[in-house]
Amino acid sequence: MSSAKKNKQAFMEVVNARPVVFDGAIGTQLYERGIYINRSFDDANLTRQDMVRSVHRAYLAAGADVLTTNTFASNRIKLSRHGLEDKVEAINRAGVELAREVAGDTAFVAGSVGPTGLTPTMLTDVELDEIRAAFSEQIDALARAGADLIVLETFRQLSEMRIAIEAARAVCDLPIVATMAFDSEMKTGDGAEPDRVAMLLEQWGADVIGANCMEGPKVLFDVVEQMVGHGVPVAAQANAGYPRKVEERLVYMATPEYFGVYARRFFKLGVRIVGGCCGTGAEHIRQVAAAARMMGSGRVQVEMARVERVDSPAEPEMEPVAPAERSDLAAKILRAQRERVLAAPGERPPLSRDNFVVSVEVNPPAGLRIQDTIESVKMLMAGGVDVINTADGPRASVRMNNGVFAALARKHAGCEVIVHYCARDRNLLGLQSDLLGLHVLGLHNLCVVTGDPPKVGDYPHATAVFDLDSVGMLRMISNFNRGLDPAGKSVGETTHFWCACGAEPAAQDYEREIRRLEHKKAAGADFIMTQPVYDHRVLEKFLEDIAHLELPVLVGLLPLASHRNAEFLHNEVPGMAVPDGIRQRMKEAGSGPKARAEGVKIAQEILEQVKDRVVGAYIMPPFGRYESALEILQSIPGYPEVK
């Protein structure tokens, strides 16, 4: 397969798999950095390379998946207005090289191609050939320099867009993103409406279609709403509102926060690619990246690229505390992994309470009364449970702060706690503050998750933060364990966090789930806690596919309470699949105690199938019936009998 075909396949796979974040304006940013409007912005690729790099770096740090080259007006016709027509090759090549230098392996590089400024319907055949030659020359230069895709953007005339697409198809096999510019009446320069534009762009061979520029997010939303559903992915790159002239400068009025609101709306509509056009900057794209993470994007946005910078910190990092010394839980998990899971079958000790770790989920109360919940924790500890874990606003619901609850449970029940820690509700400042506080309280066990978006919970219009996702938070915690904050400054000593990450063995996008786990391991995850699985074959395949990670696993078990409960989990909870046979068993069990007993039996059977490949169980009793967790454990020697 050619390199171009590989690029096309890789980019289109990402577009079809998850929301993709493009960068924002290039020209606007160069203008703000001092290149005046009567100069060629594209010539900066040769004369002001540090300035161009700085724009790319800002967008990459903000979370862009795709960096666009500073070549929008780098065709021969446009460059001739500045006497630069003999530098087409050099400017385009430098544009790709500068973007690639910054992007590395983290982001795609898109070769930007804008219109010539001429109107094809008013030109002779000779002049049309000149336009075609200009596009061919530029696109060929971008492709040979190593661009991953071609972006044909801000075209007002469909006739010129068709020439550009045909030129691109003739000289390269890269993916083509084709976006038209519409006016406030939602029409192109030649009067075409969005649905017709979508049909024609797809017909002419564009891999991604869409709209950009001209107006702010509101008008663009109305435009792309008519373009979604034509069989190809759709892109939207709005201006930061309509510009106003302030002291001889054009100022765009849409704030990053407003831009982020519309980014979420674009993604919910089904738009696959969202970025910015004129007037947008890194803060606008940071909001787009946050919206993408809410919708399941895998790209990790890093505040000013500092969280990842542990190779060259501002201050020397310290030696982390040995994993087995970070908590009693860490010591037991590592011992179980070493002595039982990784041991040869003939050398493996029999399963028992001493070499099997059990965590039971006990969530904070929704109100102020805590005593009943503490009594439940005490009951679980008496029943042989090693640790409780407590969720952080599960399903975006309002509950007592789980860190406070964990501290109270530790004080009054003498138990270890795994504190679920999610990114949804805290910005980068709050994340750091809470981590320091949890460590001082002695709460060193964390389960790091991105968090459910507010739309699924009690307050669907609440603002989510998502400055980092779970991978970014794991990387930040790993830095704290080395004595460094995200800015590379020393915090005086190392933290001792022992971090779990979540996993969905039955995830719809299974390959992405495995890739995400690889990223989490690289970012600092110490062990895995899975979502419940009711098909042991699914779980066994998952364990086989992650064996190379060598991470200890707590298998998720949620004992079914009734047939209705089984149907709900199967049909309405993402990442959950309850096989037909299991649902039939629950249907035959009826309801009440008999159904609950059958649910416990099913959980015991699943555990029996995988007991030698996991270090323990993560039990999620439904509806606060904590005794069901103890009933599941009756199949393991050493646990006290449930009375």
Side-chain angles (χ1 to χ4, degrees):
M1 184 183 294
S2 69
S3 176
K5 287 183 178 179
K6 287 181 181 178
N7 290 346
K8 180 172 183 175
Q9 182 179 351
F11 176 72
M12 295 309 298
E13 283 179 356
V14 171
V15 170
N16 289 317
R18 63 171 176 83
V20 173
V21 180
F22 265 47
D23 57 7
I26 303 291
T28 303
Q29 294 301 304
L30 293 174
Y31 175 59
E32 290 185 357
R33 285 164 169 79
I35 296 182
Y36 199 61
I37 198 166
N38 63 354
R39 300 289 303 276
S40 167
F41 291 136
D42 305 59
D43 189 41
N45 291 342
L46 303 177
T47 61
R48 304 294 296 273
Q49 292 189 342
D50 285 345
M51 186 180 290
V52 177
R53 287 191 195 95
S54 72
V55 175
H56 290 321
R57 288 192 191 104
Y59 285 132
L60 185 71
D65 296 301
V66 180
L67 299 183
T68 308
T69 59
N70 177 39
T71 57
F72 174 76
S74 295
N75 63 71
R76 177 172 295 275
I77 295 169
K78 278 286 186 72
L79 289 176
S80 66
R81 299 173 186 176
H82 299 279
L84 299 170
E85 62 271 22
D86 61 338
K87 295 186 177 181
V88 172
E89 170 80 21
I91 289 175
N92 283 280
R93 183 178 65 252
V96 173
E97 290 173 350
L98 290 169
R100 177 69 66 201
E101 180 183 336
V102 174
D105 295 329
T106 304
F108 292 100
V109 171
S112 172
V113 177
T116 61
L118 304 178
T119 305
T121 54
M122 302 171 61
L123 301 179
T124 65
D125 289 344
V126 172
E127 291 168 324
L128 288 174
D129 287 342
E130 290 178 359
I131 292 179
R132 186 171 289 103
F135 284 135
S136 297
E137 179 184 29
Q138 182 186 4
I139 294 169
D140 182 57
L142 292 168
R144 285 189 292 106
D148 297 313
L149 61 143
I150 299 298
V151 178
L152 308 174
E153 53 183 337
T154 326
F155 281 69
R156 288 280 291 147
Q157 305 288 330
L158 276 168
S159 52
E160 188 177 22
M161 175 63 87
R162 183 172 188 175
I163 294 171
I165 292 175
E166 290 173 349
R169 283 281 173 252
V171 300
C172 73
D173 194 30
L174 295 175
I176 297 174
V177 177
T179 59
M180 297 290 295
F182 293 78
D183 59 25
S184 59
E185 301 299 318
M186 297 199 303
K187 293 182 178 180
T188 62
D190 42 13
E193 296 183 343
D195 57 350
R196 178 165 177 77
V197 170
M199 178 189 70
L200 291 173
L201 294 182
E202 187 273 333
Q203 203 174 87
W204 293 339
D207 296 290
V208 178
I209 64 175
N212 77 297
C213 201
M214 300 303 291
E215 297 287 343
K218 172 63 173 70
V219 173
L220 205 70
F221 182 89
D222 294 338
V223 167
V224 297
E225 189 172 25
Q226 299 181 41
M227 302 182 81
V228 170
H230 283 77
V232 287
V234 173
Q237 292 183 269
N239 286 353
Y242 197 80
R244 297 180 185 177
K245 198 168 186 179
V246 179
E247 295 181 354
E248 303 307 313
R249 282 179 177 258
L250 290 177
V251 177
Y252 291 83
M253 308 306 291
T255 66
E257 292 73 20
Y258 177 78
F259 209 80
V261 168
Y262 267 94
R264 292 192 288 275
R265 293 177 183 174
F266 282 128
F267 285 132
K268 290 177 183 178
L269 179 65
V271 172
R272 304 303 300 168
I273 294 172
V274 177
C277 202
C278 300
T280 58
E283 292 307 313
H284 293 84
I285 301 308
R286 197 181 305 282
Q287 294 289 332
V288 176
R293 287 193 298 279
M294 288 179 63
M295 304 300 292
S297 175
R299 166 79 163 91
V300 181
Q301 177 264 353
V302 180
E303 179 75 10
M304 295 183 291
R306 287 177 175 170
V307 174
E308 293 179 305
R309 200 174 62 195
V310 289
D311 294 331
S312 55
E315 299 186 40
E317 63 182 52
M318 303 169 69
E319 187 68 26
V321 170
E325 298 175 11
R326 295 180 192 173
S327 70
D328 292 341
L329 174 67
K332 185 169 183 179
I333 285 178
L334 291 172
R335 187 171 64 252
Q337 177 80 345
R338 180 178 65 253
E339 297 178 359
R340 191 170 57 78
V341 177
L342 298 181
E347 301 173 1
R348 190 176 293 153
L351 185 68
S352 72
R353 178 179 174 181
D354 293 333
N355 58 29
F356 191 78
V357 178
V358 177
S359 176
V360 176
E361 185 165 294
V362 180
N363 289 327
L368 300 176
R369 293 181 58 84
I370 196 171
Q371 189 55 42
D372 289 347
T373 312
I374 295 295
E375 290 303 317
S376 296
V377 173
K378 291 178 179 178
M379 177 196 72
L380 291 169
M381 293 298 105
V385 170
D386 296 287
V387 58
I388 67 163
N389 66 86
T390 178
D392 188 3
R395 304 294 294 168
S397 61
V398 177
R399 291 177 177 270
M400 179 184 295
N401 178 278
N402 69 330
V404 172
F405 170 69
L408 291 171
R410 191 164 180 265
K411 176 182 178 181
H412 296 294
C415 62
E416 266 203 279
V417 185
I418 300 174
V419 179
H420 289 223
Y421 192 59
C422 88
R424 178 190 58 236
D425 307 318
R426 305 168 177 90
N427 64 15
L428 193 63
L429 297 173
L431 290 170
Q432 295 177 73
S433 298
D434 285 351
L435 283 172
L436 295 176
L438 289 171
H439 190 268
V440 169
L441 289 172
L443 299 169
H444 297 168
N445 304 308
L446 302 177
C447 180
V448 179
V449 296
T450 300
D452 298 311
K455 65 179 181 178
V456 305
D458 301 331
Y459 298 93
H461 301 296
T463 301
V465 182
F466 292 115
D467 271 0
L468 299 176
D469 68 356
S470 59
V471 178
M473 289 200 299
L474 283 165
R475 192 173 288 116
M476 180 174 68
I477 294 166
S478 180
N479 283 359
F480 272 124
N481 281 347
R482 293 177 172 87
L484 299 172
D485 73 3
K489 296 185 298 183
S490 173
V491 293
E493 56 186 289
T494 61
T495 56
H496 308 162
F497 290 118
W498 174 251
C499 294
C501 64
E504 293 183 11
Q508 290 184 342
D509 189 346
Y510 183 75
E511 295 303 320
R512 176 181 181 271
E513 188 70 11
I514 300 300
R515 289 197 306 273
R516 288 280 290 172
L517 279 174
E518 291 170 344
H519 293 321
K520 291 174 183 179
K521 163 77 182 288
D526 297 299
F527 66 109
I528 295 170
M529 298 171 67
T530 79
Q531 289 281 37
V533 180
Y534 296 92
D535 187 337
H536 69 87
R537 293 165 298 184
V538 170
L539 190 55
E540 287 168 352
K541 181 181 187 306
F542 172 75
L543 293 172
E544 185 67 32
D545 290 341
I546 65 167
H548 64 288
L549 297 177
E550 296 185 343
L551 287 175
V553 176
L554 294 183
V555 60
L557 300 173
L558 195 167
L560 298 169
S562 65
H563 177 244
R564 180 179 179 183
N565 177 224
E567 291 293 334
F568 171 79
L569 293 175
H570 180 72
N571 293 298
E572 299 192 36
V573 179
M576 299 277 280
V578 184
D580 293 344
I582 298 295
R583 301 204 311 278
Q584 182 62 31
R585 283 176 61 178
M586 293 304 298
K587 184 176 182 180
E588 292 172 359
S591 59
K594 185 178 179 182
R596 291 195 292 273
E598 187 68 16
V600 167
K601 183 178 179 182
I602 291 168
Q604 288 175 330
E605 292 170 0
I606 294 167
L607 180 57
E608 177 65 24
Q609 293 287 341
V610 298
K611 64 183 181 182
D612 290 330
R613 302 185 64 180
V614 298
V615 298
Y618 161 34
I619 305 176
M620 295 156 260
F623 314 117
R625 295 192 179 103
Y626 299 112
E627 64 279 359
S628 65
L630 301 182
E631 291 167 357
I632 291 173
L633 300 178
Q634 297 303 291
S635 61
I636 300 174
Y639 283 91
E641 183 179 350
V642 177
K643 298 179 181 179

